Structure formats: C-alpha cells, structure tokens
Amino acid sequence: MRFFLAPAWPMRALALLVLVLSVGACSHVPISSLPQLATLDLETADLTVLRAAVRAPKEIVAVPGGAFVVMSYWRQGDEARKTTVQALLEVETDPKALAALKEEERAGMRITLFRLTEEGRRKLEAARSEALALKSDELAKGRRASGSLAVSAEGCVRSALPAGPLLLSTYLRLKPGGNFVTLIQDIDLRTLLAQAGSDESAMKPCAN
C-alpha cells in the first residue's frame, strides 16, 4: 500500500475550502519538497512525533477541537467505498518544536503547530493497522490497496483581514528532530474563495 500525502492542509474558514484546496493546491507544492515527501514512510512512522503546521495571516486563528488528521484507505479501483478516519489534533506549544519553524516566520503571519492528541494517536494507529491488514489481504489476492493522509484545521477571523492576498502555507514532520517539509507554499485564500463563488465575508468570526 502506498499512502499519498494529500496537499490539502487548509486553515479553513468554511467547509468548502477543504474541497477547493484539494483541487487547487497541487500547483503550490514546492518542487524542492517532492524528494523529501518521497522518503516519508507513513506505514512505519512513529505517530508520537507527527507534527503539522499552518502559516496564515495573524488575523486567522485556529479553533480548538477543529483540527484533524484524516486517513483514508481503499481497495484499488474501489475508492467509492473507502474507509475514512479522523484523528483529533491539538495545538503544540513546546518552544523547541516551534523553533524548528523559525525560518518560516513572516511579518504579519502566524504559525500554528499541531500534534496528535493521545486519543487521536491511538485512533490513527488503529486505522493504520487496519489499512495494512487490507494491504496484506489484497496482495494475497493479486490486488492492491491505496491510502491517503491529509490534515484540516478550522480557523476563525479575530479582526479585520488585510487587503491583498491571504497567503497560506502548510508543513509536515514525521521524523523525530527532522525538518518540516513544505506541503503548500503561499496559496491565496481569497483566490480559492473566489473560485468557489464566495469571498472572505463567508469566514466566521471568532467567538471571543
């Protein structure tokens, strides 16, 4: 089984952005990231070290309980019947972990780092075991299985958004002490919203 790292890691302000990003973000994956992505082994990775990060305008804030790793797996040719599992993420506040993204800091931007909750880790490990069992079963029958991994993080708007592009970048780390791999680099949320027939007025304000 080969797991695909889906390029949809949105700090989303409304649900439709997940769908739009999955279509529009591919061209924003840096070419320099491709060799690093090819070396990430999701089948054996220690999920306790999994970290995902989003860089977005500082006016957009992560909503607690709104971030998930989404794992899907299916028999090849039968994606319509795929199994999908959501594992909850929480904000990582360890300064040492945040320091690994120091070079990605930009004026007017906020980097939010996530890690799996204990329950989320157990849920994802169980889903991975089931996916690998499916792989083994399908290989015995001369067939293949496939899988994907993506992250979605819900965001709200705390204050008036700046004029111009609302740039979003996303990152992933699966190796202890390793570098973060850039998955999406500077994709414009306003452009994506326009493609979906909407604009930033659809983004929900933060509760407090």
Side-chain angles (χ1 to χ4, degrees):
M1 174 182 293
R2 181 182 177 187
F3 279 102
F4 298 95
L5 286 166
W9 293 63
M11 173 70 79
R12 59 185 172 90
L14 64 170
L16 62 87
L17 273 184
V18 174
L19 299 177
V20 176
L21 279 170
S22 66
V23 175
C26 295
S27 61
H28 289 262
V29 178
I31 293 176
S32 59
S33 294
L34 297 180
Q36 298 177 75
L37 290 174
T39 67
L40 297 181
D41 185 359
L42 296 172
E43 294 188 5
T44 60
D46 178 0
L47 297 181
T48 63
V49 302
L50 184 152
R51 297 292 184 273
V54 178
R55 186 179 70 197
K58 60 181 177 58
E59 294 81 7
I60 299 176
V61 181
V63 174
F68 300 88
V69 170
V70 183
M71 178 180 284
S72 298
Y73 52 93
W74 60 92
R75 291 178 173 84
Q76 194 154 351
D78 194 18
E79 188 172 355
R81 299 175 61 186
K82 69 182 176 183
T83 298
T84 298
V85 175
Q86 286 193 142
L88 184 64
L89 292 164
E90 60 187 358
V91 174
E92 169 67 88
T93 58
D94 181 2
K96 292 182 179 179
L98 289 167
L101 289 161
K102 185 72 175 177
E103 293 184 0
E104 301 300 328
E105 292 179 354
R106 300 290 185 274
M109 307 290 282
R110 180 197 312 273
I111 296 178
T112 305
L113 182 62
F114 298 97
R115 65 183 179 191
L116 285 164
T117 63
E118 282 299 309
E119 180 182 358
R121 178 184 58 79
R122 290 192 294 268
K123 192 173 183 179
L124 197 60
E125 286 176 342
R128 181 171 61 179
S129 295
E130 292 175 3
L132 293 176
L134 175 66
K135 170 189 175 181
S136 178
D137 183 57
E138 291 299 289
L139 285 176
K141 299 174 182 176
R143 300 192 297 245
R144 297 179 62 188
S146 297
S148 67
L149 189 78
V151 170
S152 69
E154 184 178 0
C156 61
V157 180
R158 176 163 288 174
S159 58
L161 293 168
L166 298 174
L167 299 181
L168 175 98
S169 297
T170 59
Y171 311 87
L172 174 70
R173 188 179 74 180
L174 279 175
K175 298 178 180 179
N179 295 325
F180 279 84
V181 180
T182 303
L183 296 182
I184 297 174
Q185 188 169 52
D186 293 336
I187 193 167
D188 180 21
L189 292 181
R190 280 199 169 100
T191 297
L192 295 177
L193 285 167
Q195 291 172 353
S198 185
D199 58 33
E200 64 268 24
S201 64
M203 297 183 182
K204 66 181 183 181
C206 296
N208 49 48

